[in-house]
Amino acid sequence: MVLVELATGTIVADPDEVATVLEPTADEAALHDAAGGNAGPIAIAFPSFTDGRGFSLARLLRERHGFKGEIRAVGHLIPDHGQFLLRSGFDTAEITDPEAVQVWKLRSSASATIISRPCAIPCRCAGMRPPRPRLRSTRCLARPTTS
Amino acid sequence: MYRYDEFDHAFVNERVAEFRDQVERRLAGQLTEEEFRPLRLRNGLYLQLHAYMLRIAVPYGVLSPRQLRQLAMIGRKWDRGYGHFTTRQNLQFNWVKLVDIPDVLAALAEVEMHCIQTSGNCVRNVTADPYAAAAVDELEDPRAWCEILRQWSTLHPEFSWLPRKFKIAISGAAEDRAATAFHDIGLRIVRGPNGENGFRVLVGGGMGRTPYVGQEIKSFLPKEHLLSYIESILRVYNLHGRRDNIHKARIKILVNALGIDKFREDVEADWEATHKDAIDLPEDEKRRIMSYFAPPELPERPARDEALAARRESDPAFANWYKHNVLPHRVPGYASVVISLKEPGRTPGDASSDTMDFVADLTERFGHNEARVNYTQNLILPHVARADILELYEALAGAGCATGNNELLGDMICCPGLDYCNLANARSIPIAKEIAKRFEDPARQEEIGKLRLNMSGCINACGHHHSGNIGILGVDKKGTELYQITLGGNPKDSASVGTIIGPGFRAEAVPQAIDTIVDTYIDNRHEGESFLETWRRVGAAPFKEALYGAR
Amino acid sequence: MPSVVTANRLTDGIVVYLAADGEWTEEIANARVADDEAETKALEAIADNAVRERVVVGPYPMVVGLKDDGAIDPLSVRERIRAAHRTTLTKDWYDVPL
């Protein structure tokens, strides 16, 4: 089991310990509690790779609950999730096969335009800058770069 | 029409490269079929009965001659020289090899086409009134809104792994020609209280094994909030739609389980909490997209109505075609012309590569470089000068494309059925052909008048049988193909789901059953009454009596 | 009951049958017929391996009829259409009898 940083497709050497694990059924109160105080990483569980509830939960944590810490995807994930995870607010994904990191990296970089398409602000995933702001509804929800 | 900019080109090319990589990973064993399946599906690739099937989006049903020719080329080079237009403004190729798909996608990208999200549990191709920017009853062109929704929904970060597929249709006209009531979200552009246009939003319509007519969730949504409101609908669905049972996973099940009022309450609460400014489209971006949909410059042309009248007088076949397949246009001296893909003996909705090339030529000669695809599986030239109609007719007649049956019984909607489809329980194409043969005489169809006959080869209802005035559903009963008939469906305003009239019929008995139903309608109808009006007035009894009375 | 194993070929999706020589054939006439359950299971095991080897997709066993001359008869309409490898475009509907 290794932790991939979605924006770079690299392995996180020393992962922080998860503060809260959210199941896909988490309600508003659970999101509120998890986000409170920005305590530490929140893990969102994906019981199946086709179950997309976690994408909504991450977005709600970012947009409605102001969570600024690490959001981690755990469970049945495939590299093709990478760009969706990144753009809905996840930072990292826990994967079982360390060999697959290269594919995750490839899928992230191959999606440079996709990812930068909606970005209005420089953010961690920025590969290319968009030619101009596009449909902002699909903008990247990854955290702004701090540097 | 919409033109890709640098971004769109880069985006679609990247998707081609991505799918090429996914195919390679599948062939190399890095993806199992289970993992590959949702990835290929969201690129429109199915594994059907005989081969792979590729579903290509025709966004809002608009095709340029260049696109038509490229589709024709793809059909010849990688398929068997023909494709099938579906009930959702898509084109399907039936025999493409998996190893060739990346090249096909690259060829599509050259002409600004793609297969993205034509399948899978995501927002599908957004469909529209095929007479957009031509119809006399149009309030506003829906295509720009379709394009906005297409861009917004493509690889949406939050809504690409929904419980089930999600279909949206938009009509901007008084008459609903996009079957909006049978979509997950149906949008009607309507005039608001202050004279401005907005959307009447329907939700939870659908066909399949549990058909529902969409219910109104919002009577008037200001246009600028379209994206944020749809996001709220999708968020409630994504979080609360059922994922435990594929047959109960569509939004219609959630809407009806909660009740429309509770569902609306949840959506409105989410919408209230939404930062709408961050989601709704900026005005300049909206204007940019709208600018692509300016109607073509249609120069003034003499209508030559006397020549048309004389030909109608002397040539019954032309008169029949003209009456049904030539529709009024908002610009004087112009018309919209339906190119029927329902010639008796042909598979409904199929077009050969030669036909595609031929229609491409016609759009250049007569159609201001534009063709449209109708959900009733025909092609349309939306902008034709009336002065060109005789010449156009000669060309169509010469190519066997001048069947004058638009909206008549012969204009059947028909899914591929068991001849192609992995999900089908029974064949539909051969039944459609037999029915077409039975009603081949134009005088008979004229006597019947407008009538929507729809047929599906299984309960998934791709052939829209639920919304046919007469619907036919193929089922498998202990190894025998059996056909259930429903009556009273309606895809337009005051939409309704047809009701099963009685026990099913064996294949060879279906044409006679349709004949009996039609005769019963004619016997019972009042002057000028449509099939639907007669059905709603007299009910099932006379039809049951005629079909089963002797039993 | 006599059974054969059928699937779709991975690279082009074409309908194939497991043949006597262990290869996959487009002709149902060349399919290997299992006479009992144990033999069917053995064919399924070969097919499962072919899935792992990425030769075919979605294999399944199906019961077939055997004509007097030993020819394999796909019993359902669906399997007759699959075995025919064609559709109504080239042949009329009676080609695959009801």
Side-chain angles (χ1 to χ4, degrees):
Chain A
M1 201 73 90
V2 295
L3 195 64
V4 186
E5 187 182 56
L6 293 165
T8 58
T10 55
I11 294 175
V12 179
D14 188 15
D16 292 336
E17 199 162 321
V18 168
T20 317
V21 178
L22 290 176
E23 294 302 322
T25 49
D27 58 11
E28 277 293 311
L31 294 176
H32 179 82
D33 291 348
N38 283 304
I42 298 174
I44 296 178
F46 286 76
S48 146
F49 74 108
T50 58
D51 186 337
R53 287 176 288 184
F55 298 104
S56 284
L57 297 182
R59 187 164 176 198
L60 289 172
L61 282 173
R62 292 275 185 247
E63 288 195 342
R64 301 268 166 91
H65 299 278
F67 183 70
K68 294 188 173 58
E70 179 190 338
I71 303 180
R72 185 179 299 178
V74 300
H76 187 182
L77 301 164
I78 56 175
D80 309 88
H81 280 138
Q83 48 146 321
F84 299 101
L85 291 169
L86 188 60
R87 288 156 62 226
S88 57
F90 286 89
D91 301 283
T92 54
E94 199 175 81
I95 62 171
T96 47
D97 177 14
E99 297 287 305
V101 170
Q102 281 312 310
V103 188
W104 280 79
K105 186 170 185 171
L106 177 74
R107 289 266 54 88
S108 297
S109 62
S111 305
T113 321
I114 298 167
I115 287 166
S116 63
R117 168 186 199 165
C119 287
I121 46 170
C123 66
R124 286 187 175 188
C125 68
M128 295 164 56
R129 295 291 299 144
R132 63 172 170 270
R134 301 281 306 188
L135 283 167
R136 288 183 297 160
S137 57
T138 49
R139 79 193 187 290
C140 179
L141 293 170
R143 288 181 292 167
T145 43
T146 43
S147 52
Chain B
M1 61 194 284
Y2 187 74
R3 295 297 308 271
Y4 281 17
D5 61 13
E6 289 163 53
F7 172 83
D8 295 304
H9 279 294
F11 175 82
V12 172
N13 286 330
E14 270 172 20
R15 292 292 295 175
V16 174
E18 180 184 60
F19 194 63
R20 198 179 288 280
D21 168 65
Q22 286 166 346
V23 170
E24 279 165 15
R25 277 155 62 206
R26 173 69 185 107
L27 294 172
Q30 290 164 21
L31 287 170
T32 65
E33 185 62 20
E34 186 209 1
E35 289 173 330
F36 181 57
R37 194 170 169 275
L39 302 177
R40 67 166 159 79
L41 286 179
R42 59 196 56 222
N43 281 288
L45 187 63
Y46 286 75
L47 181 50
Q48 293 288 24
L49 210 58
H50 298 288
Y52 289 97
M53 178 272 277
L54 185 67
R55 183 181 292 157
I56 300 162
V58 183
Y60 28 91
V62 179
L63 283 169
S64 70
R66 189 164 162 252
Q67 291 172 328
L68 278 163
R69 291 199 181 97
Q70 189 82 335
L71 293 171
M73 184 280 286
I74 290 169
R76 286 192 191 97
K77 183 167 178 185
W78 288 294
D79 204 281
R80 297 188 179 179
Y82 67 100
H84 176 75
F85 287 101
T86 76
T87 51
R88 291 208 77 256
Q89 297 179 326
N90 295 309
L91 176 69
Q92 295 179 174
F93 283 117
N94 302 294
W95 305 93
V96 198
K97 293 179 178 145
L98 176 62
V99 290
D100 289 335
I101 299 291
D103 292 339
V104 176
L105 295 181
L108 288 170
E110 282 173 21
V111 294
E112 310 187 358
M113 296 189 81
H114 62 73
C115 301
I116 299 166
Q117 293 179 202
T118 54
S119 179
N121 295 335
C122 47
V123 179
R124 302 284 187 88
N125 188 29
V126 179
T127 55
D129 184 345
Y131 298 97
V136 279
D137 65 342
E138 185 173 272
L139 196 57
E140 183 175 324
D141 188 341
R143 293 173 303 161
W145 295 103
C146 293
E147 177 58 29
I148 286 166
L149 287 176
R150 185 180 75 86
Q151 293 194 21
W152 159 83
S153 65
T154 301
L155 305 194
H156 194 285
E158 186 180 350
F159 305 125
S160 289
W161 303 83
L162 296 168
R164 199 75 180 88
K165 57 190 167 183
F166 204 91
K167 301 175 180 178
I168 303 175
I170 313 182
S171 164
E175 183 186 356
D176 183 354
R177 289 177 289 259
T180 61
F182 286 101
H183 282 74
D184 296 284
I185 290 179
L187 298 167
R188 301 290 299 273
I189 300 177
V190 292
R191 191 83 77 200
N194 302 318
E196 78 288 18
N197 292 346
F199 294 102
R200 176 171 178 248
V201 186
L202 305 175
V203 70
M207 309 249 187
R209 70 185 60 217
T210 325
Y212 285 111
V213 170
Q215 300 181 72
E216 184 180 284
I217 185 168
K218 209 163 184 62
S219 58
F220 187 82
L221 175 70
K223 284 196 296 190
E224 64 268 27
H225 292 315
L226 180 65
L227 293 180
S228 60
Y229 196 77
I230 286 190
E231 285 215 349
S232 288
I233 293 176
L234 275 161
R235 183 166 304 115
V236 171
Y237 171 54
N238 190 39
L239 286 170
H240 302 292
R242 286 182 63 173
R243 291 174 187 269
D244 60 326
N245 181 339
I246 190 177
H247 300 310
K248 295 183 189 293
R250 294 287 289 272
I251 195 173
K252 63 191 174 187
I253 303 293
L254 178 66
V255 169
N256 284 279
L258 293 175
I260 185 67
D261 294 329
K262 168 70 173 133
F263 183 80
R264 182 187 297 112
E265 203 177 288
D266 290 357
V267 169
E268 293 281 338
D270 186 89
W271 196 46
E272 275 307 303
T274 298
H275 305 296
K276 299 185 185 59
D277 286 351
I279 296 166
D280 287 321
L281 193 60
E283 189 59 29
D284 57 345
E285 178 68 0
K286 188 185 89 183
R287 270 201 302 271
R288 188 184 72 81
I289 292 176
M290 293 250 167
S291 68
Y292 289 109
F293 296 94
E297 293 283 331
L298 299 177
E300 213 171 296
R301 296 275 302 276
R304 289 178 62 201
D305 284 336
E306 316 73 45
L308 289 172
R311 179 68 180 266
R312 280 153 68 196
E313 197 67 40
S314 65
D315 180 350
F318 174 79
N320 180 62
W321 174 82
Y322 181 88
K323 179 176 177 185
H324 298 292
N325 290 32
V326 178
L327 280 77
H329 195 283
R330 64 162 76 153
V331 177
Y334 282 82
S336 297
V337 173
V338 179
I339 300 174
S340 176
L341 298 179
K342 311 289 176 63
E343 192 195 15
R346 277 172 54 170
T347 301
D350 272 14
S352 66
S353 287
D354 290 349
T355 300
M356 294 180 211
D357 277 338
F358 170 68
V359 174
D361 293 345
L362 295 182
T363 65
E364 286 169 344
R365 283 173 67 196
F366 307 113
H368 293 265
N369 301 314
E370 199 175 324
R372 302 277 176 83
V373 183
N374 199 339
Y375 86 86
T376 56
Q377 304 176 286
N378 293 307
L379 297 173
I380 293 163
L381 301 185
H383 314 295
V384 177
R386 293 175 61 79
D388 292 334
I389 281 180
L390 282 172
E391 211 181 326
L392 170 60
Y393 176 76
E394 296 301 343
L396 288 170
C401 291
T403 309
N405 60 3
N406 181 46
E407 300 274 295
L408 300 181
L409 190 149
D411 185 21
M412 275 172 279
I413 289 177
C414 178
C415 76
L418 192 54
D419 287 294
Y420 292 93
C421 178
N422 222 353
L423 299 172
N425 300 117
R427 283 174 285 177
S428 45
I429 294 167
I431 310 295
K433 286 182 175 175
E434 285 300 304
I435 294 171
K437 211 188 286 176
R438 164 83 60 141
F439 290 92
E440 196 166 357
D441 180 4
R444 174 68 165 147
Q445 290 195 52
E446 192 61 43
E447 179 196 16
I448 300 163
K450 284 193 176 185
L451 194 144
R452 174 121 304 288
L453 174 59
N454 294 350
M455 174 159 41
S456 309
C458 80
I459 192 67
N460 292 299
C462 295
H464 291 201
H465 65 275
H466 294 301
S467 68
N469 300 157
I470 301 175
I472 304 174
L473 165 65
V475 298
D476 174 281
K477 196 158 188 187
K478 294 177 186 151
T480 303
E481 293 162 295
L482 209 66
Y483 296 86
Q484 276 181 359
I485 295 179
T486 55
L487 298 179
N490 177 27
K492 301 192 173 188
D493 288 295
S494 79
S496 54
V497 173
T499 48
I500 297 173
I501 191 71
F505 295 86
R506 289 178 64 97
E508 60 272 24
V510 173
Q512 180 56 50
I514 303 302
D515 227 344
T516 303
I517 289 164
V518 165
D519 281 340
T520 308
Y521 154 59
I522 290 171
D523 289 347
N524 283 276
R525 74 179 165 195
H526 290 167
E527 178 77 29
E529 213 175 38
S530 70
F531 182 90
L532 202 64
E533 287 162 343
T534 302
W535 160 262
R536 286 178 178 175
R537 182 173 53 75
V538 305
F543 293 95
K544 277 193 173 158
E545 174 64 25
L547 285 169
Y548 307 107
R551 286 192 180 184
Chain C
M1 282 191 286
S3 298
V4 303
V5 170
T6 181
N8 291 78
R9 197 158 50 209
L10 174 65
T11 52
D12 59 7
I14 297 295
V15 173
V16 286
Y17 303 88
L18 185 54
D21 59 2
E23 297 294 308
W24 293 84
T25 173
E26 294 180 27
E27 302 304 323
I28 194 169
N30 299 334
R32 178 166 159 195
V33 180
D35 294 318
D36 56 34
E37 203 169 319
E39 223 179 315
T40 307
K41 286 269 177 265
L43 292 188
E44 284 184 78
I46 297 171
D48 287 344
N49 196 50
V51 169
R52 278 190 294 277
E53 295 293 317
R54 305 181 301 283
V55 177
V56 296
V57 180
Y60 58 94
M62 64 176 196
V63 175
V64 292
L66 291 177
K67 294 180 183 162
D68 292 344
D69 60 356
I72 298 169
D73 184 17
L75 295 174
S76 67
V77 178
R78 174 191 162 87
E79 291 302 341
R80 284 205 292 275
I81 291 172
R82 286 181 83 243
H85 295 287
R86 62 172 171 244
T87 73
T88 55
L89 187 84
T90 49
K91 296 283 175 180
D92 75 25
W93 70 326
Y94 298 111
D95 190 57
V96 180
L98 289 161

